[in-house]
Amino acid sequence: MNRSETGEFLYRYFRKLTASFQSSLYKAAITCDIEDIHKARVDIKKMNALFILFDIVVPGFSSETGAHQLFKDIFNKAGIIREIQLILLFLEKKNDPDPVLFEFNEWLLKKNQIQIRQYLKSVTNFDRHKLKDLTRSVKKLFNRVSKKQLVINSWEMIDRSSLKVKYLLTGWNDPRYIHRIRQNVKAMAAIANQVSQVVPTAGLNQLRLDLTRSEIAIGEWHDRIVIINAMERFMKTTPYSKAGSHGHFLDSKDLLMQENADVLEKLKPEIKAFVLLIKSIAQKISYMR
Protein backbone atom coordinates (compact mmCIF):
# COMPACT_ATOMS: atom_id res chain seq x y z
CA MET A 1 0.00 0.00 0.00
CA ASN A 2 1.14 3.55 -0.67
CA ARG A 3 0.52 6.44 1.75
CA SER A 4 -2.98 7.10 0.41
CA GLU A 5 -4.01 3.43 0.41
CA THR A 6 -2.68 2.87 3.95
CA GLY A 7 -4.65 5.80 5.32
CA GLU A 8 -7.78 4.84 3.42
CA PHE A 9 -7.61 1.22 4.67
CA LEU A 10 -7.37 2.31 8.32
CA TYR A 11 -10.09 4.93 7.91
CA ARG A 12 -12.48 2.46 6.29
CA TYR A 13 -11.74 -0.09 9.03
CA PHE A 14 -12.56 2.53 11.66
CA ARG A 15 -15.84 3.39 9.88
CA LYS A 16 -16.73 -0.29 9.72
CA LEU A 17 -16.18 -0.63 13.50
CA THR A 18 -18.25 2.46 14.32
CA ALA A 19 -21.11 1.24 12.11
CA SER A 20 -21.06 -2.19 13.80
CA PHE A 21 -20.85 -0.55 17.24
CA GLN A 22 -23.86 1.70 16.61
CA SER A 23 -25.90 -1.19 15.24
CA SER A 24 -25.18 -3.31 18.33
CA LEU A 25 -25.84 -0.33 20.58
CA TYR A 26 -29.29 0.36 19.11
CA LYS A 27 -30.15 -3.32 19.18
CA ALA A 28 -29.02 -3.73 22.81
CA ALA A 29 -31.18 -0.76 23.83
CA ILE A 30 -34.21 -2.59 22.42
CA THR A 31 -33.49 -6.21 23.34
CA CYS A 32 -31.30 -5.84 26.49
CA ASP A 33 -29.66 -8.98 25.10
CA ILE A 34 -26.29 -9.89 26.63
CA GLU A 35 -24.77 -10.82 23.26
CA ASP A 36 -25.68 -7.44 21.75
CA ILE A 37 -24.11 -5.69 24.75
CA HIS A 38 -20.99 -7.80 24.38
CA LYS A 39 -20.80 -7.20 20.62
CA ALA A 40 -20.80 -3.43 21.15
CA ARG A 41 -18.05 -3.82 23.76
CA VAL A 42 -15.90 -5.92 21.40
CA ASP A 43 -16.20 -3.20 18.76
CA ILE A 44 -15.03 -0.62 21.32
CA LYS A 45 -12.06 -2.86 22.20
CA LYS A 46 -11.07 -2.93 18.54
CA MET A 47 -11.46 0.84 18.31
CA ASN A 48 -9.35 1.30 21.44
CA ALA A 49 -6.64 -0.75 19.72
CA LEU A 50 -6.87 1.62 16.76
CA PHE A 51 -6.60 4.63 19.08
CA ILE A 52 -3.28 3.27 20.34
CA LEU A 53 -2.17 3.17 16.70
CA PHE A 54 -3.50 6.68 16.08
CA ASP A 55 -1.55 7.97 19.09
CA ILE A 56 1.59 6.44 17.59
CA VAL A 57 1.03 8.33 14.35
CA VAL A 58 0.04 11.58 16.10
CA PRO A 59 0.98 11.64 19.81
CA GLY A 60 -1.91 12.97 21.88
CA PHE A 61 -4.55 12.22 19.24
CA SER A 62 -6.86 10.35 21.66
CA SER A 63 -6.70 12.97 24.40
CA GLU A 64 -7.17 15.87 21.98
CA THR A 65 -10.19 14.28 20.27
CA GLY A 66 -11.66 12.66 23.40
CA ALA A 67 -11.63 9.29 21.61
CA HIS A 68 -11.25 7.06 24.67
CA GLN A 69 -13.50 9.23 26.83
CA LEU A 70 -16.33 9.04 24.32
CA PHE A 71 -16.69 5.27 24.74
CA LYS A 72 -15.42 4.92 28.32
CA ASP A 73 -18.73 4.78 30.20
CA ILE A 74 -20.40 2.29 27.86
CA PHE A 75 -17.26 0.16 27.74
CA ASN A 76 -16.92 0.04 31.54
CA LYS A 77 -20.61 -0.73 32.11
CA ALA A 78 -20.53 -3.48 29.48
CA GLY A 79 -17.34 -4.83 31.06
CA ILE A 80 -19.04 -5.25 34.44
CA ILE A 81 -21.90 -7.13 32.77
CA ARG A 82 -19.42 -9.32 30.91
CA GLU A 83 -17.62 -10.16 34.14
CA ILE A 84 -20.89 -11.18 35.79
CA GLN A 85 -21.72 -13.35 32.78
CA LEU A 86 -18.29 -14.93 33.03
CA ILE A 87 -18.93 -15.93 36.64
CA LEU A 88 -22.45 -17.18 35.90
CA LEU A 89 -21.06 -19.33 33.08
CA PHE A 90 -18.38 -20.66 35.44
CA LEU A 91 -21.08 -21.66 37.95
CA GLU A 92 -23.23 -23.20 35.21
CA LYS A 93 -20.36 -25.38 34.01
CA LYS A 94 -19.48 -26.28 37.58
CA ASN A 95 -23.08 -27.46 38.12
CA ASP A 96 -22.46 -27.73 41.84
CA PRO A 97 -25.49 -28.22 44.17
CA ASP A 98 -23.74 -26.47 47.07
CA PRO A 99 -26.32 -24.07 48.65
CA VAL A 100 -23.75 -21.31 49.12
CA LEU A 101 -22.87 -21.41 45.42
CA PHE A 102 -26.61 -21.29 44.66
CA GLU A 103 -26.96 -18.13 46.76
CA PHE A 104 -23.89 -16.72 45.03
CA ASN A 105 -25.56 -17.34 41.67
CA GLU A 106 -28.78 -15.60 42.82
CA TRP A 107 -26.78 -12.63 44.13
CA LEU A 108 -25.04 -12.32 40.77
CA LEU A 109 -28.31 -12.43 38.82
CA LYS A 110 -29.64 -9.49 40.84
CA LYS A 111 -26.41 -7.60 40.25
CA ASN A 112 -26.70 -8.33 36.54
CA GLN A 113 -30.16 -6.78 36.26
CA ILE A 114 -28.99 -3.63 38.04
CA GLN A 115 -25.96 -3.33 35.73
CA ILE A 116 -28.05 -3.80 32.60
CA ARG A 117 -30.25 -0.88 33.68
CA GLN A 118 -27.11 1.21 34.25
CA TYR A 119 -25.82 0.21 30.83
CA LEU A 120 -29.05 1.31 29.14
CA LYS A 121 -28.66 4.74 30.75
CA SER A 122 -25.19 4.97 29.23
CA VAL A 123 -26.61 4.07 25.82
CA THR A 124 -29.18 6.85 26.14
CA ASN A 125 -26.48 9.34 27.09
CA PHE A 126 -24.03 8.35 24.35
CA ASP A 127 -23.05 11.44 22.33
CA ARG A 128 -23.46 10.55 18.66
CA HIS A 129 -22.48 14.07 17.57
CA LYS A 130 -19.06 13.59 19.16
CA LEU A 131 -18.71 10.33 17.26
CA LYS A 132 -19.24 12.24 14.01
CA ASP A 133 -16.60 14.79 15.08
CA LEU A 134 -14.19 11.96 15.93
CA THR A 135 -14.77 10.35 12.53
CA ARG A 136 -13.85 13.62 10.80
CA SER A 137 -10.68 13.84 12.90
CA VAL A 138 -9.72 10.29 11.91
CA LYS A 139 -10.27 11.15 8.24
CA LYS A 140 -7.87 14.10 8.54
CA LEU A 141 -5.32 12.04 10.44
CA PHE A 142 -4.80 9.51 7.67
CA ASN A 143 -3.78 12.00 5.06
CA ARG A 144 -0.40 11.93 6.90
CA VAL A 145 0.28 8.19 7.27
CA SER A 146 3.14 6.34 5.55
CA LYS A 147 3.80 2.63 5.93
CA LYS A 148 7.42 3.16 6.85
CA GLN A 149 6.69 5.64 9.61
CA LEU A 150 3.84 3.47 10.87
CA VAL A 151 6.20 0.49 11.24
CA ILE A 152 8.98 2.54 12.86
CA ASN A 153 6.65 4.21 15.36
CA SER A 154 4.88 0.95 16.15
CA TRP A 155 8.16 -0.79 16.90
CA GLU A 156 9.19 2.09 19.14
CA MET A 157 5.96 1.69 21.10
CA ILE A 158 6.34 -2.09 21.34
CA ASP A 159 9.96 -1.71 22.43
CA ARG A 160 9.00 0.77 25.18
CA SER A 161 6.19 -1.49 26.39
CA SER A 162 8.51 -4.51 26.49
CA LEU A 163 10.92 -2.56 28.71
CA LYS A 164 8.03 -1.82 31.06
CA VAL A 165 7.14 -5.52 31.11
CA LYS A 166 10.76 -6.41 31.82
CA TYR A 167 10.70 -4.12 34.85
CA LEU A 168 7.27 -5.38 36.00
CA LEU A 169 8.54 -8.96 35.96
CA THR A 170 10.52 -8.05 39.09
CA GLY A 171 7.18 -7.90 40.93
CA TRP A 172 5.77 -11.11 39.50
CA ASN A 173 4.18 -12.20 42.78
CA ASP A 174 2.25 -8.93 43.11
CA PRO A 175 -1.16 -9.04 41.33
CA ARG A 176 -0.92 -5.28 40.69
CA TYR A 177 2.24 -5.83 38.64
CA ILE A 178 0.65 -8.70 36.73
CA HIS A 179 -2.36 -6.52 35.89
CA ARG A 180 0.01 -3.91 34.47
CA ILE A 181 1.89 -6.59 32.51
CA ARG A 182 -1.48 -7.70 31.10
CA GLN A 183 -2.27 -4.13 30.01
CA ASN A 184 1.05 -3.83 28.21
CA VAL A 185 0.72 -7.25 26.59
CA LYS A 186 -2.77 -6.34 25.34
CA ALA A 187 -1.50 -3.03 23.94
CA MET A 188 1.45 -4.67 22.17
CA ALA A 189 -0.77 -7.44 20.78
CA ALA A 190 -3.25 -4.85 19.51
CA ILE A 191 -0.53 -2.92 17.69
CA ALA A 192 1.07 -6.06 16.27
CA ASN A 193 -2.30 -7.22 14.92
CA GLN A 194 -3.24 -3.83 13.47
CA VAL A 195 0.10 -3.18 11.78
CA SER A 196 0.27 -6.74 10.39
CA GLN A 197 -2.99 -6.09 8.53
CA VAL A 198 -1.57 -2.99 6.87
CA VAL A 199 2.08 -4.05 6.49
CA PRO A 200 2.35 -7.88 6.44
CA THR A 201 6.14 -7.59 5.98
CA ALA A 202 6.70 -5.55 9.16
CA GLY A 203 8.38 -8.49 10.95
CA LEU A 204 5.56 -8.84 13.45
CA ASN A 205 4.12 -12.25 12.60
CA GLN A 206 6.04 -14.40 15.12
CA LEU A 207 5.75 -11.74 17.79
CA ARG A 208 2.03 -11.43 17.12
CA LEU A 209 1.57 -15.16 17.72
CA ASP A 210 3.65 -15.08 20.92
CA LEU A 211 1.79 -12.05 22.24
CA THR A 212 -1.59 -13.56 21.43
CA ARG A 213 -0.69 -16.77 23.25
CA SER A 214 0.48 -14.85 26.32
CA GLU A 215 -2.54 -12.56 26.16
CA ILE A 216 -4.88 -15.56 26.24
CA ALA A 217 -3.03 -17.17 29.17
CA ILE A 218 -2.88 -14.00 31.24
CA GLY A 219 -6.51 -13.35 30.30
CA GLU A 220 -7.47 -16.68 31.85
CA TRP A 221 -5.58 -15.65 34.99
CA HIS A 222 -7.54 -12.40 35.01
CA ASP A 223 -10.87 -14.24 34.57
CA ARG A 224 -10.15 -16.26 37.70
CA ILE A 225 -9.20 -13.08 39.56
CA VAL A 226 -12.61 -11.66 38.59
CA ILE A 227 -14.34 -14.75 40.00
CA ILE A 228 -12.25 -14.75 43.19
CA ASN A 229 -12.89 -11.04 43.80
CA ALA A 230 -16.63 -11.52 43.32
CA MET A 231 -16.60 -14.44 45.76
CA GLU A 232 -14.82 -12.29 48.32
CA ARG A 233 -17.39 -9.49 47.90
CA PHE A 234 -20.21 -12.02 48.27
CA MET A 235 -18.63 -13.31 51.50
CA LYS A 236 -19.38 -9.90 53.06
CA THR A 237 -23.12 -10.12 52.33
CA THR A 238 -26.08 -11.32 54.39
CA PRO A 239 -27.02 -14.13 51.93
CA TYR A 240 -23.55 -15.61 52.44
CA SER A 241 -23.71 -15.48 56.22
CA LYS A 242 -27.14 -17.16 56.21
CA ALA A 243 -26.27 -19.83 53.64
CA GLY A 244 -25.05 -22.50 56.04
CA SER A 245 -21.75 -24.36 55.79
CA HIS A 246 -19.13 -22.40 53.84
CA GLY A 247 -16.42 -25.06 53.58
CA HIS A 248 -17.16 -26.14 50.01
CA PHE A 249 -17.45 -22.55 48.80
CA LEU A 250 -14.08 -21.70 50.32
CA ASP A 251 -12.53 -24.83 48.81
CA SER A 252 -13.75 -23.71 45.37
CA LYS A 253 -12.13 -20.32 45.91
CA ASP A 254 -8.84 -21.92 47.03
CA LEU A 255 -8.84 -24.14 43.92
CA LEU A 256 -9.14 -21.09 41.66
CA MET A 257 -6.23 -19.46 43.47
CA GLN A 258 -4.10 -22.58 43.02
CA GLU A 259 -4.98 -22.79 39.31
CA ASN A 260 -3.85 -19.18 38.92
CA ALA A 261 -0.58 -19.88 40.70
CA ASP A 262 0.05 -22.77 38.27
CA VAL A 263 -0.73 -20.53 35.25
CA LEU A 264 1.67 -17.83 36.43
CA GLU A 265 4.47 -20.34 36.93
CA LYS A 266 4.20 -21.42 33.29
CA LEU A 267 3.57 -17.93 31.95
CA LYS A 268 6.61 -16.11 33.35
CA PRO A 269 9.21 -17.77 31.07
CA GLU A 270 6.95 -17.16 28.04
CA ILE A 271 6.78 -13.46 28.79
CA LYS A 272 10.55 -13.31 29.33
CA ALA A 273 10.99 -14.98 25.94
CA PHE A 274 8.94 -12.46 23.97
CA VAL A 275 10.67 -9.56 25.76
CA LEU A 276 13.96 -10.95 24.43
CA LEU A 277 12.41 -11.48 20.99
CA ILE A 278 11.27 -7.85 20.87
CA LYS A 279 14.75 -6.66 21.81
CA SER A 280 16.42 -8.71 19.07
CA ILE A 281 13.94 -7.70 16.35
CA ALA A 282 14.03 -4.03 17.37
CA GLN A 283 17.79 -4.05 16.98
CA LYS A 284 17.53 -5.54 13.49
CA ILE A 285 15.10 -2.89 12.23
CA SER A 286 16.85 0.04 13.92
CA TYR A 287 18.40 0.92 10.55
CA MET A 288 14.96 2.11 9.41
CA ARG A 289 15.07 5.06 11.83
Side-chain angles (χ1 to χ4, degrees):
M1 295 184 191
N2 57 33
R3 181 188 295 264
S4 174
E5 290 171 336
T6 300
E8 187 65 21
F9 173 85
L10 290 169
Y11 174 68
R12 287 181 179 274
Y13 179 53
F14 175 74
R15 289 296 303 271
K16 180 181 177 181
L17 289 176
T18 58
S20 175
F21 161 73
Q22 290 184 87
S23 175
S24 298
L25 203 64
Y26 291 134
K27 192 176 177 185
I30 297 169
T31 65
C32 299
D33 185 77
I34 294 298
E35 287 307 311
D36 292 326
I37 293 172
H38 179 58
K39 178 67 169 60
R41 182 172 181 268
V42 169
D43 287 332
I44 297 175
K45 284 181 73 174
K46 291 177 180 177
M47 282 190 278
N48 283 340
L50 271 182
F51 297 149
I52 297 172
L53 191 63
F54 297 169
D55 281 327
I56 287 172
V57 177
V58 178
F61 174 86
S62 292
S63 58
E64 290 173 9
T65 59
H68 283 295
Q69 197 64 32
L70 176 60
F71 301 98
K72 184 178 180 181
D73 192 48
I74 284 178
F75 184 73
N76 289 345
K77 295 286 195 327
I80 295 171
I81 293 169
R82 189 62 181 175
E83 288 184 351
I84 294 172
Q85 290 300 311
L86 169 75
I87 306 167
L88 289 170
L89 183 60
F90 164 77
L91 292 172
E92 183 182 330
K93 288 181 178 178
K94 195 173 180 63
N95 193 26
D96 194 315
D98 179 64
V100 184
L101 288 171
F102 174 80
E103 291 296 335
F104 182 42
N105 190 85
E106 294 298 298
W107 179 75
L108 288 165
L109 288 171
K110 290 176 183 177
K111 291 278 185 188
N112 193 52
Q113 290 306 310
I114 293 170
Q115 291 302 324
I116 287 176
R117 288 196 292 271
Q118 292 296 318
Y119 175 83
L120 293 177
K121 287 181 182 178
S122 295
V123 172
T124 302
N125 294 331
F126 181 74
D127 194 332
R128 290 163 180 80
H129 295 295
K130 285 187 178 179
L131 179 57
K132 289 181 180 178
D133 291 341
L134 175 60
T135 302
R136 284 192 286 268
S137 296
V138 171
K139 179 67 172 176
K140 291 178 183 177
L141 169 71
F142 285 117
N143 291 328
R144 302 149 60 180
V145 178
S146 72
K147 284 195 301 183
K148 181 178 178 180
Q149 198 59 42
L150 188 65
V151 172
I152 291 171
N153 292 349
S154 296
W155 267 110
E156 287 174 347
M157 176 271 177
I158 290 172
D159 198 21
R160 286 195 303 272
S161 293
S162 72
L163 291 174
K164 292 177 185 176
V165 170
K166 183 179 179 180
Y167 163 74
L168 292 167
L169 283 168
T170 61
W172 186 248
N173 294 323
D174 187 333
R176 293 173 300 177
Y177 277 59
I178 300 171
H179 278 296
R180 289 170 62 189
I181 288 173
R182 177 174 173 264
Q183 290 170 349
N184 279 279
V185 169
K186 285 167 68 70
M188 287 188 287
I191 289 301
N193 286 325
Q194 295 290 353
V195 175
S196 292
Q197 290 185 61
V198 183
V199 193
T201 58
L204 287 162
N205 287 334
Q206 184 57 51
L207 177 60
R208 183 170 55 84
L209 294 174
D210 291 346
L211 285 168
T212 300
R213 185 170 59 249
S214 295
E215 184 183 7
I216 291 170
I218 205 167
E220 291 173 353
W221 170 86
H222 178 260
D223 288 348
R224 292 190 190 91
I225 290 292
V226 167
I227 299 170
I228 292 166
N229 288 344
M231 293 175 89
E232 290 177 347
R233 288 195 298 273
F234 176 64
M235 289 166 65
K236 298 175 183 177
T237 67
T238 301
Y240 176 79
S241 63
K242 292 183 176 180
S245 175
H246 302 131
H248 186 66
F249 181 88
L250 295 174
D251 286 344
S252 297
K253 177 171 166 284
D254 288 343
L255 179 60
L256 287 169
M257 294 175 71
Q258 184 56 54
E259 287 174 349
N260 260 1
D262 294 341
V263 166
L264 292 181
E265 186 176 351
K266 295 176 183 176
L267 185 59
K268 188 175 183 179
E270 288 185 16
I271 292 178
K272 283 183 175 179
F274 77 63
V275 167
L276 290 173
L277 177 62
I278 290 170
K279 183 179 179 180
S280 65
I281 297 175
Q283 288 172 342
K284 290 178 182 177
I285 68 164
S286 61
Y287 69 90
M288 293 178 66
R289 292 179 173 83

